[in-house]
Amino acid sequence: MSEPLMPNQADTPATALGPTALVLGVISVAPAFALFPSLALAFLMFPWAVIASALAVTFGAVGIRYARRGIGRVWMAVAGTTLGAIGLVGTTTLFWVLVPTAP
């Protein structure tokens, strides 16, 4: 028989924070590129982008903390945090510029 698989310190859920932040960061930047094909598509993606960017910044910050301890990858967490921040600022600015203000 084979020996049972034992969990390793590298197999903690903290190792998934960096890649999760990176994916959510890419999703949060997507409405800026969806503006070119269709304005309606950009507005449909706006709420999801705000949620994804907030989660990307949160998961990225926690991922950086764990990566400094040796669990996980720093570059993925930093990239996810950066993309999440850019996505949050970009989609908020895009929404503020494109939505007409009421007189």
Side-chain angles (χ1 to χ4, degrees), residues 45-80:
M45 293 176 68
F46 177 74
W48 298 108
V50 171
I51 293 169
S53 62
L55 288 173
V57 170
T58 304
F59 288 161
V62 175
I64 291 170
R65 180 175 169 222
Y66 278 109
R68 286 186 179 168
R69 294 181 183 175
I71 303 171
R73 293 194 173 107
V74 177
W75 72 270
M76 284 189 176
V78 169

Side-chain angles (χ1 to χ4, degrees), residues 28-29 46 49-51 53-54 57 82-93:
S28 71
V29 178
F46 177 74
V50 171
I51 293 169
S53 62
V57 170
T82 305
L83 284 174
I86 290 170
L88 183 62
V89 170
T91 54
T92 305
T93 304

Side-chain angles (χ1 to χ4, degrees), residues 11-37:
D11 295 336
T12 64
T15 57
L17 290 172
T20 303
L22 185 62
V23 169
L24 288 171
V26 169
I27 291 171
S28 71
V29 178
F33 296 107
L35 177 67
F36 297 116

